[in-house]
Amino acid sequence: MDLPDLADLVIRDADVVDGSGAPSYRADVAVKGGRIVSIVKEAAGAGCQRPRAVRELDAEGLALSPGFIDMHAHSDLALLRDPDHSAKAAQGVTLEVIGQDGLSYAPVDDRTLAEVRRTIAGWNGHGDDIDFTWRSVGEYLDRLDQGIAVNAAYLIPQGTVRMLAVGWEDREATPEELDRMRRLVAEGMRQGAVGMSSGLTYTPGMYAKDAELAELCRVVAEYGGYYCPHHRSYGAGALKAYEEMVALAREAGCPLHLAHATMNFAVNEGRAPELLSLLDDALAAGADITLDTYPYTPGCTTLAGLLPSWASEGGPQEILGRLADDAVAERIRHDLEVLGTDGCHGVPVGWDTIEISGVSDPALASYVGRTVRESAELRGEEPWATARRLLVEDRLGPTVLQHVGHEDNVRAVMRHRAHTGGSDGILRGAKPHPRAYGTFPHYLGRYVRELGVLSLEECVAHLTSRPAARLRLPDRGLVREGYRADLVLFDPDTVAAGATFEHPRTLPTGIPHVLVDGRFVIEDGRRTQVLAGRAVRRTPL
């Protein structure tokens, strides 16, 4: 082979788990110009010429797979503020889908940007360290194109769109407002978004009726995107909420991807088979449905997200005003503790299940790592008094772990043929959920090697080719010649999540190399300075 024909890199003697679900095979894989240019299987025989390259990497004992795709990420600002981004890169994640749960930072105007920054400060921080030079979806994607650790695809956030066109009022949109929302969604899709998200237990997105959502979904479908709802209940009304989303998407003719599709709270223990039966019936009838989950039982959200929607109407400043009023605050407490709020999925809150994971004000750090009930007992007061104080003093900033999941449900859902992996990882806070740093190695170490819930080949397919198909990416998600060289090398015998609930920012083990666009972002287990990630825009129909 002449020197000009040398590949940039050849990965020798890797056990290729190609993402298709087929059995692994031993091969040399050559990379040039950011793409896979040659795959020579060991079975090809001695007469077959092995590829040569400027650099060779001995992959003996390592599995080579496509880069993992995080179908539900909250790295909207982290990608900009933290060039290292080892939280995801070290897991083997080479693409994140952001703009989740109906709330993110584009499209916005000056008013809406200020409101959304405060509303999701618990997810992403207040953003005081970010230069918000963008307002449109396209401008935000252009900002990502300046160089990020891993690739990112964007969902248009329906709650932000409603905030921009309607405001924070709990009412139906006028015809003119609905037309504006349609235009905003169409503009975002043309600029490269892959679909639309909703957060239907978060204001103001939850104020949209199904007919309004269906109108926006029709626009998404016209541009080849998909709808990703955080639906109206994961608790008392979970199955009804799933049925609602399936019916809505089918009416709109829009592909559906169910966000963090769990069955939580005591009312849903052991009920995952009912959800899976619903999905199987819809798939058999021709529906286009996928879902994502994380391999843990606790959830994670903001403390303010648990409040009843009526208490959140009008936006952050109105919420704080209501919390300051003793009579209104007592009504909020009654809804939370007795009736069960729509923000808490229709289930009366159990303060012993709500653990503070992060605060914005360092002066409140003593609350982190304790449940609301534990902090209340230390203070000699009722739990609501503690929660109310935290919300007011931290200006709605606290994030929480919600210990309401069930292991049998987690395992049942991850086996389903429509399943993909998503971390739902919130990276802010002193004690974040370990899923932010551990989801993908936890799948491979705990649920493949230790428990055998999935085979290695099945699990890799869930984390690579299935999400790539949902995103309509024609050259990602498989180890194939001509495909993008977004690749992970890991040791199936040792790969594991380092992150735990006690030490949630510990990086994983057993993942020595990660490539984005053919360049090492993780090399010999260490983060390089490479920023090869870019915005991954919707593939035109």
Side-chain angles (χ1 to χ4, degrees), residues 185-397:
V185 172
E187 181 181 71
M189 293 300 296
R190 285 194 298 269
Q191 292 172 353
V194 296
M196 181 181 75
S197 74
S198 284
L200 299 180
T201 64
Y202 300 126
T203 55
M206 67 156 58
Y207 298 142
K209 301 293 191 290
D210 285 359
E212 178 181 313
L213 296 171
E215 285 298 310
L216 301 184
C217 283
R218 290 187 179 95
V219 176
V220 172
E222 288 174 9
Y223 289 91
Y226 68 93
Y227 180 44
C228 180
H230 163 131
H231 49 274
R232 297 190 193 275
S233 175
Y234 290 82
L239 281 175
K240 181 180 178 182
Y242 281 115
E243 291 171 356
E244 175 192 7
M245 293 298 101
V246 170
L248 185 156
R250 296 197 69 185
E251 177 190 347
C254 187
L256 176 66
H257 181 85
L258 297 165
H260 36 61
T262 55
M263 293 287 286
N264 290 336
F265 300 91
V267 295
N268 289 316
E269 186 171 4
R271 298 187 68 188
E274 296 176 58
L275 166 61
L276 301 181
S277 177
L278 165 67
L279 298 181
D280 284 336
D281 288 346
L283 289 164
D288 183 354
I289 302 174
T290 51
L291 57 90
D292 65 67
T293 67
Y294 46 83
Y296 299 88
T297 53
C300 183
T301 186
T302 63
L303 185 59
L306 306 180
L307 300 177
S309 58
W310 63 261
S312 299
E313 187 176 2
Q317 204 57 43
E318 293 295 321
I319 298 172
L320 291 167
R322 293 183 181 104
L323 289 168
D325 184 307
D326 288 343
V328 179
E330 172 58 22
R331 182 183 167 198
I332 294 172
R333 182 206 64 79
H334 184 265
D335 281 9
L336 272 166
E337 296 183 351
V338 179
L339 301 180
T341 70
D342 42 9
C344 197
H345 308 279
V347 177
V349 68
W351 292 117
D352 56 339
T353 70
I354 306 300
E355 177 186 351
I356 304 301
S357 60
V359 291
S360 297
D361 184 350
L364 302 171
S366 62
Y367 290 93
V368 174
R370 295 192 177 106
T371 67
V372 172
R373 184 173 297 281
E374 287 171 338
S375 288
E377 289 173 352
L378 288 172
R379 297 181 63 87
E381 63 188 10
E382 292 300 312
W384 168 240
T386 299
R388 180 186 175 190
R389 176 182 294 104
L390 260 176
L391 287 166
V392 171
E393 293 184 4
D394 205 37
R395 309 292 292 177
L396 311 181

Side-chain angles (χ1 to χ4, degrees), residues 12 28 38-51 481:
R12 294 260 186 239
D28 295 343
S38 177
I39 301 173
V40 178
K41 296 183 180 181
E42 183 180 57
C48 185
Q49 184 177 8
R50 302 183 76 177
E481 290 183 358

Side-chain angles (χ1 to χ4, degrees), residues 173-183 211-212 215-216:
T174 67
E176 293 77 17
E177 290 166 341
L178 183 56
D179 282 343
R180 187 181 180 199
M181 285 190 282
R182 288 194 197 97
R183 291 194 301 271
E212 178 181 313
E215 285 298 310
L216 301 184

Side-chain angles (χ1 to χ4, degrees), residues 381-445:
E381 63 188 10
E382 292 300 312
W384 168 240
T386 299
R388 180 186 175 190
R389 176 182 294 104
L390 260 176
L391 287 166
V392 171
E393 293 184 4
D394 205 37
R395 309 292 292 177
L396 311 181
T399 52
V400 300
L401 302 184
Q402 203 167 5
H403 295 272
V404 293
H406 306 285
E407 181 67 18
D408 57 343
N409 286 347
V410 169
R411 296 189 193 187
V413 174
M414 75 168 63
R415 292 189 185 102
H416 195 266
R417 58 194 170 111
H419 173 263
T420 68
S423 71
D424 196 13
I426 294 174
L427 300 170
R428 301 289 287 180
K431 196 180 178 187
H433 196 304
R435 68 193 185 192
Y437 285 74
T439 286
F440 295 87
H442 199 50
Y443 267 119
L444 296 168

